[in-house]
Amino acid sequence: MKIAIVREQADGERRVAATPETVKKFKALGADVAIESGAGLTASIADADYAAAGAAVADRAATVAGADILLGVQGPSPDSLAGAKPGAWIVAGLNPFGERARVDAYAAAGFEALAMEFMPRITRAQSMDILSSQSNLSGYKAVLDAAAEYGRAFPMMMTAAGTVSAAKVFVMGVGVAGLQAIATAKRLGAQVSATDVRAATKEQIESLGAKAIFVEKVAGIEGEGSGGYATEMSDDYKAAQAELVSGHIAKQDIVITTALIPGRPAPRLISDAQIATMKPGSVIVDLAVEQGGNVEGAVAGDVVERHGVKIVGHRNVPSRLAADTSALFARNLYNFLSAFWDKDRNAPVLDEEIGNAIRLTQDGKVVNERLLG
């Protein structure tokens, strides 16, 4: 069993899919591990560290040759995988809805593509969930990015020269990223409030010491779909939410938006008119900018200014903390493969619940129901 880790080729991608820690663990399972030279450099991991852990470090062709399993952060180009075994697994974040042509190419090449972002949100798969591990650090980094752009301090400071007021931070969307953003902003001393369409998150917000801003008296809307993800809201709810949020946003110094709906464009949470009500020097960080954005006027990969308000739209925020996000991503991959490792076969054997959820291609065709439906 040969596990190959390739160097990421996507622009701006600094993460790597394995660390010396996980290389040692794969070796302990009985696998041979090969890694492309330079794969870990942007995540502060030298080739020598991989070699010391037992990996064979080589160029891409030698790394891929004869591989049974190919690990990546983002899906590797099918053209760059010549020499891998027929039916080899590709295990990575594959962006199945946004990169459908690449998924079709994996099928045509005979690979079995496994999309880690389709991992079901069930208890036994929590340690395999790349969306959670990466979003956690994205929420943290979003607050630091906001602080870097904000021309004032976060905590209240009482000095001989007078008092500096605490920054007011509003988090919209309280999933993993939002919860970490709340916790980080609180640690920095801000006054924090948050909102979400899922009623169950109110208790989570308050448990972190933040103020929950929720639409009341709109019956029958919980906002939670399968797997704990948000769903599309009714028109009545959207109108009530827009009215509530408009009044609150005008008083905020920093707003962080994190709302995503799987397989659909990000919901629009903040309009240009709402931005215009904010104080000059305020900051908005849009973590959903690559999926269309929660904020009108946000630009992927740029920091723009509208009505005196900075709108931060960095791409691939997890990659901005590459050393830590790589460590967590690599553990997710190891936890996944090791959970299904069959010692007799010296290979992982998937069960139906998780296998059917994440498998995109098999036997030359696309097989995932979410892509076929």
PDB file of all heavy atoms in Angstrom, residues 38-62:
ATOM      1  N   GLY A  38       9.360  19.464  -1.661  1.00  0.00           N
ATOM      2  CA  GLY A  38       8.895  20.840  -1.513  1.00  0.00           C
ATOM      3  C   GLY A  38       7.448  20.982  -1.111  1.00  0.00           C
ATOM      4  O   GLY A  38       6.961  22.104  -0.936  1.00  0.00           O
ATOM      5  N   ALA A  39       6.744  19.869  -0.928  1.00  0.00           N
ATOM      6  CA  ALA A  39       5.304  19.933  -0.652  1.00  0.00           C
ATOM      7  C   ALA A  39       4.984  20.672   0.638  1.00  0.00           C
ATOM      8  O   ALA A  39       3.937  21.313   0.753  1.00  0.00           O
ATOM      9  CB  ALA A  39       4.714  18.525  -0.602  1.00  0.00           C
ATOM     10  N   GLY A  40       5.880  20.584   1.623  1.00  0.00           N
ATOM     11  CA  GLY A  40       5.579  21.181   2.915  1.00  0.00           C
ATOM     12  C   GLY A  40       6.256  22.510   3.183  1.00  0.00           C
ATOM     13  O   GLY A  40       6.067  23.084   4.267  1.00  0.00           O
ATOM     14  N   LEU A  41       7.028  23.027   2.240  1.00  0.00           N
ATOM     15  CA  LEU A  41       7.839  24.215   2.515  1.00  0.00           C
ATOM     16  C   LEU A  41       6.994  25.422   2.912  1.00  0.00           C
ATOM     17  O   LEU A  41       7.358  26.169   3.829  1.00  0.00           O
ATOM     18  CB  LEU A  41       8.697  24.559   1.292  1.00  0.00           C
ATOM     19  CG  LEU A  41       9.808  23.559   0.954  1.00  0.00           C
ATOM     20  CD1 LEU A  41      10.562  24.010  -0.290  1.00  0.00           C
ATOM     21  CD2 LEU A  41      10.764  23.400   2.136  1.00  0.00           C
ATOM     22  N   THR A  42       5.861  25.635   2.248  1.00  0.00           N
ATOM     23  CA  THR A  42       5.036  26.808   2.561  1.00  0.00           C
ATOM     24  C   THR A  42       4.261  26.624   3.860  1.00  0.00           C
ATOM     25  O   THR A  42       3.658  27.581   4.360  1.00  0.00           O
ATOM     26  CB  THR A  42       4.051  27.104   1.412  1.00  0.00           C
ATOM     27  OG1 THR A  42       3.326  25.912   1.082  1.00  0.00           O
ATOM     28  CG2 THR A  42       4.795  27.591   0.183  1.00  0.00           C
ATOM     29  N   ALA A  43       4.274  25.406   4.407  1.00  0.00           N
ATOM     30  CA  ALA A  43       3.673  25.154   5.713  1.00  0.00           C
ATOM     31  C   ALA A  43       4.749  24.955   6.780  1.00  0.00           C
ATOM     32  O   ALA A  43       4.493  24.387   7.844  1.00  0.00           O
ATOM     33  CB  ALA A  43       2.758  23.926   5.651  1.00  0.00           C
ATOM     34  N   SER A  44       5.958  25.406   6.474  1.00  0.00           N
ATOM     35  CA  SER A  44       7.100  25.373   7.410  1.00  0.00           C
ATOM     36  C   SER A  44       7.562  23.957   7.733  1.00  0.00           C
ATOM     37  O   SER A  44       8.018  23.683   8.845  1.00  0.00           O
ATOM     38  CB  SER A  44       6.743  26.122   8.708  1.00  0.00           C
ATOM     39  OG  SER A  44       6.341  27.451   8.437  1.00  0.00           O
ATOM     40  N   ILE A  45       7.459  23.036   6.754  1.00  0.00           N
ATOM     41  CA  ILE A  45       7.937  21.673   6.938  1.00  0.00           C
ATOM     42  C   ILE A  45       8.969  21.371   5.851  1.00  0.00           C
ATOM     43  O   ILE A  45       8.665  21.433   4.659  1.00  0.00           O
ATOM     44  CB  ILE A  45       6.793  20.641   6.864  1.00  0.00           C
ATOM     45  CG1 ILE A  45       5.683  20.988   7.851  1.00  0.00           C
ATOM     46  CG2 ILE A  45       7.335  19.239   7.155  1.00  0.00           C
ATOM     47  CD1 ILE A  45       4.435  20.119   7.703  1.00  0.00           C
ATOM     48  N   ALA A  46      10.175  21.043   6.264  1.00  0.00           N
ATOM     49  CA  ALA A  46      11.259  20.768   5.319  1.00  0.00           C
ATOM     50  C   ALA A  46      11.199  19.328   4.825  1.00  0.00           C
ATOM     51  O   ALA A  46      10.682  18.438   5.512  1.00  0.00           O
ATOM     52  CB  ALA A  46      12.613  21.031   5.992  1.00  0.00           C
ATOM     53  N   ASP A  47      11.738  19.097   3.629  1.00  0.00           N
ATOM     54  CA  ASP A  47      11.814  17.741   3.094  1.00  0.00           C
ATOM     55  C   ASP A  47      12.527  16.801   4.065  1.00  0.00           C
ATOM     56  O   ASP A  47      12.147  15.633   4.226  1.00  0.00           O
ATOM     57  CB  ASP A  47      12.557  17.746   1.754  1.00  0.00           C
ATOM     58  CG  ASP A  47      11.737  18.341   0.619  1.00  0.00           C
ATOM     59  OD1 ASP A  47      10.523  18.545   0.808  1.00  0.00           O
ATOM     60  OD2 ASP A  47      12.319  18.601  -0.447  1.00  0.00           O
ATOM     61  N   ALA A  48      13.567  17.307   4.728  1.00  0.00           N
ATOM     62  CA  ALA A  48      14.339  16.471   5.654  1.00  0.00           C
ATOM     63  C   ALA A  48      13.486  15.972   6.818  1.00  0.00           C
ATOM     64  O   ALA A  48      13.711  14.873   7.330  1.00  0.00           O
ATOM     65  CB  ALA A  48      15.533  17.259   6.188  1.00  0.00           C
ATOM     66  N   ASP A  49      12.495  16.767   7.215  1.00  0.00           N
ATOM     67  CA  ASP A  49      11.609  16.352   8.304  1.00  0.00           C
ATOM     68  C   ASP A  49      10.736  15.175   7.878  1.00  0.00           C
ATOM     69  O   ASP A  49      10.478  14.259   8.665  1.00  0.00           O
ATOM     70  CB  ASP A  49      10.737  17.519   8.756  1.00  0.00           C
ATOM     71  CG  ASP A  49      11.551  18.655   9.349  1.00  0.00           C
ATOM     72  OD1 ASP A  49      12.609  18.377   9.944  1.00  0.00           O
ATOM     73  OD2 ASP A  49      11.124  19.820   9.210  1.00  0.00           O
ATOM     74  N   TYR A  50      10.281  15.213   6.633  1.00  0.00           N
ATOM     75  CA  TYR A  50       9.498  14.079   6.116  1.00  0.00           C
ATOM     76  C   TYR A  50      10.382  12.834   5.985  1.00  0.00           C
ATOM     77  O   TYR A  50       9.961  11.726   6.322  1.00  0.00           O
ATOM     78  CB  TYR A  50       8.899  14.426   4.750  1.00  0.00           C
ATOM     79  CG  TYR A  50       7.730  15.376   4.805  1.00  0.00           C
ATOM     80  CD1 TYR A  50       7.805  16.638   4.222  1.00  0.00           C
ATOM     81  CD2 TYR A  50       6.534  15.008   5.420  1.00  0.00           C
ATOM     82  CE1 TYR A  50       6.727  17.511   4.257  1.00  0.00           C
ATOM     83  CE2 TYR A  50       5.454  15.882   5.456  1.00  0.00           C
ATOM     84  CZ  TYR A  50       5.556  17.123   4.873  1.00  0.00           C
ATOM     85  OH  TYR A  50       4.482  17.981   4.913  1.00  0.00           O
ATOM     86  N   ALA A  51      11.572  13.027   5.483  1.00  0.00           N
ATOM     87  CA  ALA A  51      12.487  11.890   5.320  1.00  0.00           C
ATOM     88  C   ALA A  51      12.809  11.255   6.669  1.00  0.00           C
ATOM     89  O   ALA A  51      12.853  10.020   6.791  1.00  0.00           O
ATOM     90  CB  ALA A  51      13.765  12.348   4.618  1.00  0.00           C
ATOM     91  N   ALA A  52      12.995  12.084   7.682  1.00  0.00           N
ATOM     92  CA  ALA A  52      13.289  11.563   9.014  1.00  0.00           C
ATOM     93  C   ALA A  52      12.116  10.778   9.592  1.00  0.00           C
ATOM     94  O   ALA A  52      12.303   9.879  10.418  1.00  0.00           O
ATOM     95  CB  ALA A  52      13.655  12.717   9.950  1.00  0.00           C
ATOM     96  N   ALA A  53      10.911  11.118   9.138  1.00  0.00           N
ATOM     97  CA  ALA A  53       9.723  10.407   9.603  1.00  0.00           C
ATOM     98  C   ALA A  53       9.479   9.107   8.834  1.00  0.00           C
ATOM     99  O   ALA A  53       8.575   8.338   9.176  1.00  0.00           O
ATOM    100  CB  ALA A  53       8.488  11.309   9.487  1.00  0.00           C
ATOM    101  N   GLY A  54      10.266   8.877   7.773  1.00  0.00           N
ATOM    102  CA  GLY A  54      10.156   7.629   7.034  1.00  0.00           C
ATOM    103  C   GLY A  54       9.561   7.733   5.656  1.00  0.00           C
ATOM    104  O   GLY A  54       9.340   6.716   4.993  1.00  0.00           O
ATOM    105  N   ALA A  55       9.315   8.961   5.188  1.00  0.00           N
ATOM    106  CA  ALA A  55       8.744   9.131   3.853  1.00  0.00           C
ATOM    107  C   ALA A  55       9.836   9.148   2.796  1.00  0.00           C
ATOM    108  O   ALA A  55      10.954   9.592   3.041  1.00  0.00           O
ATOM    109  CB  ALA A  55       7.949  10.428   3.778  1.00  0.00           C
ATOM    110  N   ALA A  56       9.490   8.661   1.595  1.00  0.00           N
ATOM    111  CA  ALA A  56      10.373   8.787   0.441  1.00  0.00           C
ATOM    112  C   ALA A  56      10.079  10.130  -0.219  1.00  0.00           C
ATOM    113  O   ALA A  56       8.947  10.387  -0.623  1.00  0.00           O
ATOM    114  CB  ALA A  56      10.130   7.644  -0.535  1.00  0.00           C
ATOM    115  N   VAL A  57      11.066  10.995  -0.302  1.00  0.00           N
ATOM    116  CA  VAL A  57      10.893  12.322  -0.888  1.00  0.00           C
ATOM    117  C   VAL A  57      11.441  12.305  -2.307  1.00  0.00           C
ATOM    118  O   VAL A  57      12.603  11.935  -2.525  1.00  0.00           O
ATOM    119  CB  VAL A  57      11.607  13.394  -0.042  1.00  0.00           C
ATOM    120  CG1 VAL A  57      11.395  14.777  -0.649  1.00  0.00           C
ATOM    121  CG2 VAL A  57      11.109  13.358   1.406  1.00  0.00           C
ATOM    122  N   ALA A  58      10.593  12.671  -3.276  1.00  0.00           N
ATOM    123  CA  ALA A  58      11.004  12.579  -4.683  1.00  0.00           C
ATOM    124  C   ALA A  58      10.229  13.591  -5.512  1.00  0.00           C
ATOM    125  O   ALA A  58       9.403  14.348  -4.974  1.00  0.00           O
ATOM    126  CB  ALA A  58      10.753  11.163  -5.199  1.00  0.00           C
ATOM    127  N   ASP A  59      10.488  13.601  -6.832  1.00  0.00           N
ATOM    128  CA  ASP A  59       9.721  14.493  -7.691  1.00  0.00           C
ATOM    129  C   ASP A  59       8.300  13.946  -7.854  1.00  0.00           C
ATOM    130  O   ASP A  59       7.972  12.861  -7.378  1.00  0.00           O
ATOM    131  CB  ASP A  59      10.413  14.683  -9.043  1.00  0.00           C
ATOM    132  CG  ASP A  59      10.558  13.377  -9.834  1.00  0.00           C
ATOM    133  OD1 ASP A  59       9.836  12.400  -9.538  1.00  0.00           O
ATOM    134  OD2 ASP A  59      11.404  13.339 -10.753  1.00  0.00           O
ATOM    135  N   ARG A  60       7.473  14.714  -8.560  1.00  0.00           N
ATOM    136  CA  ARG A  60       6.050  14.341  -8.624  1.00  0.00           C
ATOM    137  C   ARG A  60       5.843  12.998  -9.319  1.00  0.00           C
ATOM    138  O   ARG A  60       5.058  12.172  -8.855  1.00  0.00           O
ATOM    139  CB  ARG A  60       5.248  15.429  -9.344  1.00  0.00           C
ATOM    140  CG  ARG A  60       3.723  15.269  -9.165  1.00  0.00           C
ATOM    141  CD  ARG A  60       2.963  16.398  -9.839  1.00  0.00           C
ATOM    142  NE  ARG A  60       1.551  16.403  -9.500  1.00  0.00           N
ATOM    143  CZ  ARG A  60       1.008  17.088  -8.505  1.00  0.00           C
ATOM    144  NH1 ARG A  60       1.771  17.807  -7.706  1.00  0.00           N
ATOM    145  NH2 ARG A  60      -0.291  17.061  -8.284  1.00  0.00           N
ATOM    146  N   ALA A  61       6.540  12.778 -10.414  1.00  0.00           N
ATOM    147  CA  ALA A  61       6.350  11.534 -11.169  1.00  0.00           C
ATOM    148  C   ALA A  61       6.683  10.311 -10.315  1.00  0.00           C
ATOM    149  O   ALA A  61       5.928   9.336 -10.281  1.00  0.00           O
ATOM    150  CB  ALA A  61       7.197  11.556 -12.431  1.00  0.00           C
ATOM    151  N   ALA A  62       7.804  10.375  -9.611  1.00  0.00           N
ATOM    152  CA  ALA A  62       8.197   9.240  -8.767  1.00  0.00           C
ATOM    153  C   ALA A  62       7.280   9.085  -7.570  1.00  0.00           C
ATOM    154  O   ALA A  62       7.013   7.965  -7.114  1.00  0.00           O
ATOM    155  CB  ALA A  62       9.641   9.434  -8.302  1.00  0.00           C
TER     156      ALA A  62
END
